[in-house]
């Protein structure tokens, strides 16, 4: 399988702190790649760098979307990167709390639609059609994610688990080829995590997209990942199948400290 | 050359006043990230309080020096009291509100206080007595640097040195710096953040009052609107130097003072205020972090 | 016991405010005649007033805090009154009918003076709705809004003075100039953070006013431009009386047009992007929205409306000078938006009528007008930041399921 994204020697510095350190990572077509590592390892920073929120001090990110348009995405703004097909969710939920659930998803459709001010005011045929399609598409996504019962609620009023799912729904609305999930199970109860587990696999299968997933919940990670990459102090310290990672002494050391390594 | 020196010294005087007021902006911003829009009005209130006190004391036949000292003291006390109260009413309830809420509240406070002074006093310009005595040894240089100007420069220098020492070495100063750096952490290690915020407002307001008294006796007249313009200019100075940074505010004050002084002296005096506003706009566009400020990446 | 401590608190507040307001409220000096006037009565007012207000204040703070603790969802489930009225046809249609009859017959019942006031109120409705796009929807605090108003007014004033161009010819030009200035000023500053943006726009607003004040050759300085033509009626000049009525109806038309446009924008692709930007800039960008473009469109559109109203203002008063375009004017328009409710059309309309008509009709208020506006900004932010009418988002119905408030508990 060919990679859809290749990260080469990516480095991010905050003053004296090197949050990501010469990291290489490939994400292949239709795979679920989990990124794990202790707190502060630099996982979220990596996401921020891929999505254009931070600029890397070194290294590059190269994409080859299935639909064409290969090239590096260094230096592009976040909105352009999203338009190119990489979308993310946020570790600290960042929904639009005073907009309805449906509207949150409709915002995701923004970069795939075109109506402008004049269109909005005169509301011609094309605009009407596009608006209707946006509503239907967005609702369809909500149904697929399983939170369609909340359509007209304000996003800020949703239960925590539903908010996490809404983040995924909103991201899917942008039609990505690569979805970055930052701790989607954080704060969920075991039952909700179970639902999420099935959902992530379903998204991969139905949408045919690659998923890069940061997660601390090891049960979830082990059950759905095709591959796992491990970060510590900004460096990638291991990479492999769940089986390999489980038995890798370097990983165990990073997580549990020296004395646990047999 | 003499004209140049005159403009230079004029800029120095203006600059030190701007610096004095800018310190209030910068300290408050450093601690609660709020542009205290009503800070200029604190300065107006300081000037008015001083004028009122001085007039009453003159009526009762006090001598010049005691009037100067008492009027300044009363102005400082009242400005501080206003600063303290404003924070409690308009900002404290909004500590956790979205960023723009306290700013809008501050704008409201500014408009309110401006009109409060206007209604309770007058819309006309009031002549302000020259509270600073004429120094004998300054007679020779009178045409380029007056006694009042010397007084302004000396007072602001002394005040700024004291402030720097307070912030560097006292317990309160340390708590202030800690709060500015990370409010949550400061709270966790036992800093009473509400108290620190109050103290910051009080110190900033006291400085504004001193500025108000000095500039009023320099220019010789005041009205309810002086604080608004001076406030925006001082804010410009704070941003210029890098908001949140105390040496920055001082540096910004002097740069603005000189810019204004030379621009009005050599270009055109009609556009005095335009230069300040233009400087504000330019600095915010090209270097929003200011000269001494550091730009921080927002955590996501 | 609790009562006693409450009284004690209010008493202390009362003492504190009497102390605080003592020099400024009680003493008034006349430095020229060297007399001091002691107004002890004011101190009594302050004492009693702050004693009572202190109770109210603490009561409202408590209300707010308990409201926060209560489930927020609960609060939002209640459909707001205005929305209920709008959805309930039996209420909505008669209401509109009554308002139309009132609106149409107003100039024939009331004097020209009253009509003028009403026209002014309508102008503020439109200005408020224009600023609402920028502040309410897109969340960009624009403190220099009045600059674009000035641009429109001077566009008409100057074109009329030098070339004799009429109102109708200049109206689109004024709107265009507003938009142009909006884009020119907005482009460099819109990437700034919210509070800096506010100050920069304030700076721009003041620069434009100061330039108008000092550039005598261009703008005639502080003396301004007089004898600007009133709008013509299909080429015919009207008498003063008729012109007043004419401008009134013109204003009604513009206000309706504005409501129509803003309402459509609000629930469009662009309008949603504005609101999303207000809610969370980073998430917004991460969802593929071009931050700069979206901000610029809101900023420029708001400016367009201000430019248009500037032309109308010049035509209505026939005289303009820089004094009409101070920061306080921006503050008034901002108060309207804040009082009404950021993002809410109905709210802004109500806000404008309340804030403009109240001081006109209650003479006692007029002197305290700006004091009131300042206080409103503070009080609304502290107690009801969403305004009297909170922002209502459009709901959608889907076949097969029943989407109403009840089922999503
Ligand atoms: N904007 C920033 N400025 C300065 N330092 C930052 C910034 N963002 C992150 N860091 C630092 O970079 C390091 C990596 O942080 P990051 O959030 O990427 O960790 P993480 O692996 O996502 O951890 P967690 O599992 O807790 O989410 C941390 O030490 C963090 O404090
Ligand atoms: Mg993280």
């Amino acid at each position: 399988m060919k990679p859809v994204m290749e990260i080469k020697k990516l480095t991010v510095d905050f003053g004296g702190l090197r949050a990501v350190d010469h990291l290489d990572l490939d994400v292949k077509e239709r795979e679920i790649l989990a990124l794990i590592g202790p707190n502060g390892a630099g996982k979220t920073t990596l996401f921020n760098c891929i999505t254009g929120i931070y600029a890397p001090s070194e290294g590059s990110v190269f994409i080859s979307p299935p639909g064409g348009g290969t090239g590096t995405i260094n230096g592009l703004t976040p909105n352009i990167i999203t338009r190119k097909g990489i979308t993310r969710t946020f570790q600290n939920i960042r929904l639009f709390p005073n907009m309805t659930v449906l509207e949150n998803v409709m915002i995701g459709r923004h970069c795939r639609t075109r109506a402008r001010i004049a269109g909005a005011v005169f509301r011609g045929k094309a605009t009407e059609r596009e608006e209707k399609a946006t509503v239907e598409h967005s609702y369809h996504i909500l149904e697929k994610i399983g939170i369609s019962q909340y359509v007209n609620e304000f996003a800020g009023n949703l239960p925590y688990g539903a908010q996490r799912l809404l983040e995924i729904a909103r991201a899917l609305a942008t039609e990505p080829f690569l979805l970055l999930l930052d701790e989607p199970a954080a704060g969920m109860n075991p039952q909700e995590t179970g639902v999420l587990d099935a959902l992530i696999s379903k998204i991969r299968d139905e949408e045919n997209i690659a998923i890069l997933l940061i997660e601390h919940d090891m049960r979830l990670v082990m059950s759905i990942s095709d591959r796992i990459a491990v970060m510590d102090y900004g460096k990638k310290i291991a990479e492999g199948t769940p089986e390999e990672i489980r038995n890798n002494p370097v990983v165990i050391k990073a997580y549990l400290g020296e004395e646990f390594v047999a | 050359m003499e004209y140049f020196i005159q403009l230079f010294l004029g800029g120095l005087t203006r600059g030190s006043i701007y610096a004095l007021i800018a310190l209030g902006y910068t300290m408050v911003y450093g601690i609660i990230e709020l542009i205290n829009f009503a800070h200029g009005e604190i300065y107006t209130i300081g000037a008015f309080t001083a004028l009122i006190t001085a007039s009453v004391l003159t009526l009762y036949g006090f001598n010049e020096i005691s009037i100067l000292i008492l009027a300044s003291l009363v102005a400082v006390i009242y400005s501080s009291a206003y600063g303290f109260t404003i924070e409690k009413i308009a900002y404290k309830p909004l500590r956790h509100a979205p960023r723009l809420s306290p700013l809008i509240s501050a704008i409201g406070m500014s408009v309110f206080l401006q009109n409060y002074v206007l209604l309770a006093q007058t819309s006309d310009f009031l002549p302000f007595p020259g509270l600073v005595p004429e120094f004998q040894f300054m007679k020779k240089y009178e045409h380029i640097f007056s006694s009042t100007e010397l007084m302004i420069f000396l007072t602001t220098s002394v005040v700024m040195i004291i402030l720097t020492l307070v912030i560097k070495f006292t317990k309160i100063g340390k708590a202030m710096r800690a709060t500015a750096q990370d409010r949550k952490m400061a709270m966790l290690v036992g800093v009473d953040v509400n108290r620190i915020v109050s103290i910051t407002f009080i110190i900033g307001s006291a400085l504004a009052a001193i500025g108000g008294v000095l500039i009023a006796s320099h220019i010789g007249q005041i009205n309810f609107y002086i604080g608004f313009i001076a406030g925006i200019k001082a804010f410009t100075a704070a941003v210029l130097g890098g908001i949140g940074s105390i040496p920055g505010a001082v540096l910004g004050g002097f740069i603005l003072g000189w810019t204004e002084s030379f621009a009005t002296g050599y270009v055109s005096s009609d556009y005095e205020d335009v230069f300040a506003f233009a400087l504000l706009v330019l600095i915010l566009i090209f270097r929003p972090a200011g000269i001494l400020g550091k730009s921080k990446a927002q955590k996501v | 016991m609790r009562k006693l401590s409450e009284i004690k608190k209010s008493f202390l507040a009362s003492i504190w405010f009497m102390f605080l307001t003592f020099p400024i409220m009680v003493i008034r000096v006349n430095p020229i005649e060297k007399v001091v006037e002691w107004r002890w009565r004011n101190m009594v007012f302050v004492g009693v007033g702050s004693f009572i207000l202190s109770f109210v204040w603490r009561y409202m703070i408590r209300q707010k805090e308990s409201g926060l603790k209560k489930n927020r969802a609960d609060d939002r489930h209640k459909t707001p009154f205005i929305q209920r009225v709008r959805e309930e046809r039996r209420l909505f249609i008669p209401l509109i009918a009554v308002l139309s009859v009132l609106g149409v017959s107003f100039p024939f019942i009331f004097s020209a003076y009253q009509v003028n006031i009403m026209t002014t109120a309508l102008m503020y409705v439109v200005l408020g709705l224009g600023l609402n796009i920028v502040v309410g929807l897109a969340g960009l605090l624009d403190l220099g809004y009045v600059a674009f108003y000035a641009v429109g007014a001077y566009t008409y004033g100057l074109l009329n003075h030098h070339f004799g161009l009429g109102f109708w010819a200049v109206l689109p030009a004024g709107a265009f100039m507003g938009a142009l200035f909006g884009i020119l000023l907005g482009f460099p500053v819109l990437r700034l953070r919210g509070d800096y943006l506010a100050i920069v726009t304030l700076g721009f607003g003041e620069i434009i006013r100061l330039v108008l004040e000092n550039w005598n050759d261009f703008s005639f300085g502080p003396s301004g431009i007089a004898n600007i033509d009133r709008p013509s009626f299909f080429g015919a000049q009207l008498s003063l009386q008729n012109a007043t009525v004419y401008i009134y109806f013109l204003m009604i038309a513009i206000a309706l047009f504005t409501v129509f446009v803003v309402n459509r924008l609000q629930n469009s692709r662009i309008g949603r992007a504005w609101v999303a930007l207000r809610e969370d800039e980073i998430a917004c960008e991460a969802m593929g929205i071009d931050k700069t473009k979206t901000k610029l469109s809101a900023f420029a559109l708001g400016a367009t409306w201000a430019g248009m109203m500037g032309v109308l203002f010049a035509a209505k008063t026939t005289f303009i000078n820089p004094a009409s375009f101070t920061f306080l004017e921006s503050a008034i328009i901002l108060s309207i938006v804040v009082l009404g409710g950021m993002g809410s059309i109905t709210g802004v309309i109500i806000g404008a009528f309340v804030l403009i008509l109240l001081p006109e009709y209650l003479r006692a208020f007029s002197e305290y007008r700006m004091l009131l506006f300042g206080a409103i900004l503070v009080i609304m932010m502290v107690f009801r930041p969403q305004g009297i009418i909170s922002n209502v988002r459009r709901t959608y119905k889907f076949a097969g399921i029943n989407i109403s408030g009840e089922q999503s508990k």
Side-chain angles (χ1 to χ4, degrees), chain B residues 155-168 170:
Chain B
T155 315
T156 48
S157 306
V158 170
V159 166
M160 281 177 223
I161 290 168
I162 295 176
L163 181 72
T164 311
L165 295 179
V166 166
I167 288 178
K168 269 246 153 68
T170 63

Side-chain angles (χ1 to χ4, degrees), chain A residues 79 82 94 96-99 102-103 106-107 110 113-115 120-123 131 139 149 152-153 157, chain C residues 76-77 264 267-269 272-273 275-276 279-280 283 285-290 393 395-396 398 401 403 408:
Chain A
N79 57 306
T82 303
R94 299 193 86 120
F96 308 116
N98 290 307
M99 297 176 88
L102 188 73
E103 282 179 319
M106 285 164 87
I107 287 293
H110 186 95
T113 46
R114 335 163 44 113
V121 176
F122 299 115
R123 222 177 257 178
E131 184 74 11
Y139 185 67
Q149 72 270 33
N152 287 323
E153 296 280 311
N157 291 345
Chain C
R76 277 177 177 156
H77 263 308
R264 283 209 157 171
N267 291 308
S268 70
R269 171 175 176 267
R272 281 190 300 268
V275 178
E279 297 282 294
D280 189 328
E285 241 191 326
M287 288 304 119
I289 292 175
D290 185 333
R393 297 305 306 174
T395 54
Y396 294 83
F398 295 92
I401 51 156
I403 298 154
S408 41

Side-chain angles (χ1 to χ4, degrees), chain B residues 6 10 21 29 31 36 61 66 68 83 88 98 107 115 123 127 188 190 204 213 221 226 267 284:
Chain B
Q6 195 185 333
I21 310 174
Y29 196 93
I31 286 192
N36 179 14
S66 51
L68 173 66
K88 288 277 179 271
I107 293 166
N115 286 278
S123 60
L188 286 179
V213 176
Q221 57 174 9
I226 51 165
V267 187
L284 280 180

Side-chain angles (χ1 to χ4, degrees), chain A residues 108-183:
Chain A
R109 297 300 300 154
H110 186 95
C111 61
R112 304 292 173 217
T113 46
R114 335 163 44 113
R116 306 209 45 84
I117 289 181
V121 176
F122 299 115
R123 222 177 257 178
K125 277 249 167 57
T127 315
E128 285 280 6
R129 211 176 312 126
E130 184 187 276
E131 184 74 11
K132 191 157 169 273
T134 303
V135 172
E136 277 165 11
H137 190 144
S138 306
Y139 185 67
H140 182 66
I141 294 176
L142 286 177
E143 277 184 321
K144 185 151 49 182
I145 302 295
I147 47 173
S148 65
Q149 72 270 33
Y150 297 118
V151 246
N152 287 323
E153 296 280 311
F154 277 107
N157 291 345
L158 256 51
Y160 195 76
Q163 291 198 9
R164 287 234 174 260
L165 293 180
L166 178 55
E167 279 236 358
I168 299 178
R170 185 178 67 174
L172 280 180
T174 65
E175 296 175 20
F177 69 85
L178 170 61
L179 179 62
L180 311 181
L181 301 176
D182 198 343
E183 303 196 15

Side-chain angles (χ1 to χ4, degrees), chain C residues 232-250:
Chain C
S232 61
F233 185 68
F234 295 108
Q237 286 301 327
L238 299 171
S239 69
L240 178 57
Q241 174 75 31
N242 285 343
T244 309
V245 175
Y246 179 46
I247 295 177
Y248 169 81
F249 281 114
L250 205 62

Side-chain angles (χ1 to χ4, degrees), chain A residues 14 17 19 38-45 54 91 183 216, chain B residues 297-299:
Chain A
F14 294 115
L17 178 82
N39 291 109
K43 307 178 296 290
T44 301
T45 307
Y54 298 152
Q91 179 175 357
E183 303 196 15
H216 284 298
Chain B
Q298 194 185 352
K299 272 203 183 184

